[in-house]
Each structure stands twice: as C-alpha cells, then as structure tokens.
Amino acid sequence: KGEGHANGQVSIGYDLVQGTNVNLDVDVGQHGKVTLGSTRITSSKTLITTSVSTIPQSDKLAFSISSHRAMFDNTIRAMYALGISSDLGLHYCLLSFTTLDNGETVVTMEEETKKGKDGKTKKIKKTVYHYPPKYTVKFNMGIDQLPLQLQADKIFSKHDQHVGSCSFGWGPSGIQLSASLSRVISQYAKFKIGVKSSSIPQSLTW
C-alpha cells in the first residue's frame, strides 16, 4: 500500500516602512512549520535579514540572522550569518569577506602589426582589458567539513565569460584544493573543467 501526502504554502508580506518588510510563511503538510521573517536595508546600505521559525516535530524554535555590508570604501563585501535554537544550541555560523573591483578595469593599449588590403604592414592599437581577481575568505561552523576556505576568481574575458577559479579549504579532518576553468560556449551551453584533491575521507573528487 502506498501513502499520499499533500503539501502547501501560504505567504504573506507587508512593507512596514521604506526599506523594511515582514513576511509570514506557513508550510502545511507532514512537516509543517511557520516562519516569521524581516528584511531591512539601513541608511548605510546594510542588508539585515532575521527570522524565527518552528522546527518540525519539535517544541523548539529556530532563530537566524544574516547581514551583508560593503566596507572600506566599497572595496570589500562582508557577510555574516548565525542560526541558533531556542535552547541556545548553535546550528551554524558564517563570516565571509569578498573583495570588490567596483568596476575598475585596467585598460592598456597594445600595438600589433597587420597587413592591409594594399599589402602594406600597419601598426594597429588594440585595447586590452585586465579584470582584477576577486578574493574570498570564509569562516564557518556547522555548514561543512571545512571551517576555513580561501578562494580566488579571475575573469579572463567578459565577452564569453571565461573565468578561472581556485580554492583552498582546511578543516580538522583534512585539507582540500581545487581549480577550475569555465567558459560560455553558446547561449544555452557552458563548458567547465576542473580538478580537486582532498585528504578528507569519503570526499568527492572530479
């Protein structure tokens, strides 16, 4: 004999004032729960999100808070997130910093020789764009096996979204290194290749 289940969700949102809204989400079903959340954008353009929700099949509540903010003249994006239960049990925490290029692209002029239709060699100035790499450092607990993660992303070409990425992760159970290259082939296809080496038992490699 099989079992049937029905699930549904009801969401209600209300804008208290400009930049602040409150949402009430009710999940109906076998593992139903109620979540009350609030999102606020401060005058310093800091995004703060808070929520409190019931835990299915438990009499405890879950609290979460997260924030995004630009720092140091909009050169670094900082984010933190924290999740605890009503008995003060820690579910997760995250602290992340990412550099921002602010659209600052270094442009250089390079000369190259090219033959024209008349057979004469001409020097043509070519504009070359250099995109600064983006660096990210993350500290987390309760999210994955790597409490410390460092990552660097480099855009080689925005035209075909040619991007290179490398990362390093450390945890009590071992370390993990990875590198990848991705490129958009067409409007509907993207090619990506990479390698990953890890000393963590039962970890995925590709």
Side-chain angles (χ1 to χ4, degrees):
K1 295 182 179 180
E3 295 183 358
H5 300 283
N7 297 288
Q9 184 181 61
V10 177
S11 297
I12 300 175
Y14 179 71
D15 293 332
L16 293 176
V17 293
Q18 185 177 1
T20 302
N21 63 69
V22 177
N23 294 290
L24 176 65
D25 299 322
V26 180
D27 295 325
V28 181
Q30 184 180 11
H31 302 290
K33 70 174 185 177
V34 179
T35 302
L36 178 65
S38 173
T39 301
R40 174 176 171 77
I41 301 177
T42 66
S43 57
S44 61
K45 296 183 179 180
T46 299
L47 175 64
I48 301 175
T49 302
T50 59
S51 71
V52 56
S53 64
T54 59
I55 301 176
Q57 301 178 348
S58 173
D59 57 353
K60 300 177 183 178
L61 296 176
F63 302 91
S64 68
I65 181 172
S66 65
S67 175
H68 298 257
R69 177 180 178 141
M71 303 173 62
F72 305 111
D73 294 329
N74 205 33
T75 58
I76 293 179
R77 171 68 63 179
M79 184 193 79
Y80 77 83
L82 178 68
I84 60 175
S85 58
S86 54
D87 61 353
L88 300 182
L90 178 65
H91 288 183
Y92 64 87
C93 66
L94 170 68
L95 181 62
S96 172
F97 299 95
T98 302
T99 58
L100 302 175
D101 58 18
N102 295 321
E104 295 178 359
T105 303
V106 180
V107 181
T108 59
M109 302 296 293
E110 296 182 2
E111 290 187 350
E112 64 175 10
T113 57
K114 187 176 181 181
K115 284 188 177 182
K117 294 182 179 180
D118 55 2
K120 295 182 179 180
T121 301
K122 299 180 180 179
K123 287 187 177 181
I124 301 176
K125 286 189 176 182
K126 181 182 178 182
T127 304
V128 180
Y129 297 91
H130 302 277
Y131 304 100
K134 181 174 67 175
Y135 302 102
T136 301
V137 56
K138 294 181 181 179
F139 306 92
N140 78 84
M141 292 179 61
I143 297 179
D144 55 37
Q145 300 179 7
L146 303 171
L148 172 63
Q149 297 180 43
L150 306 174
Q151 181 171 328
D153 300 287
K154 170 68 175 176
I155 298 176
F156 297 103
S157 172
K158 281 192 176 181
H159 175 69
D160 53 9
Q161 297 183 28
H162 186 192
V163 180
S165 177
C166 62
S167 65
F168 166 81
W170 174 88
S173 56
I175 62 173
Q176 180 175 283
L177 298 170
S178 66
S180 66
L181 287 172
S182 63
R183 191 168 194 162
V184 173
I185 300 175
S186 67
Q187 185 178 357
Y188 307 100
K190 183 178 181 179
F191 174 78
K192 184 175 182 179
I193 186 172
V195 293
K196 178 162 59 174
S197 176
S198 175
S199 61
I200 301 176
Q202 299 180 349
S203 62
L204 295 176
T205 57
W206 49 271

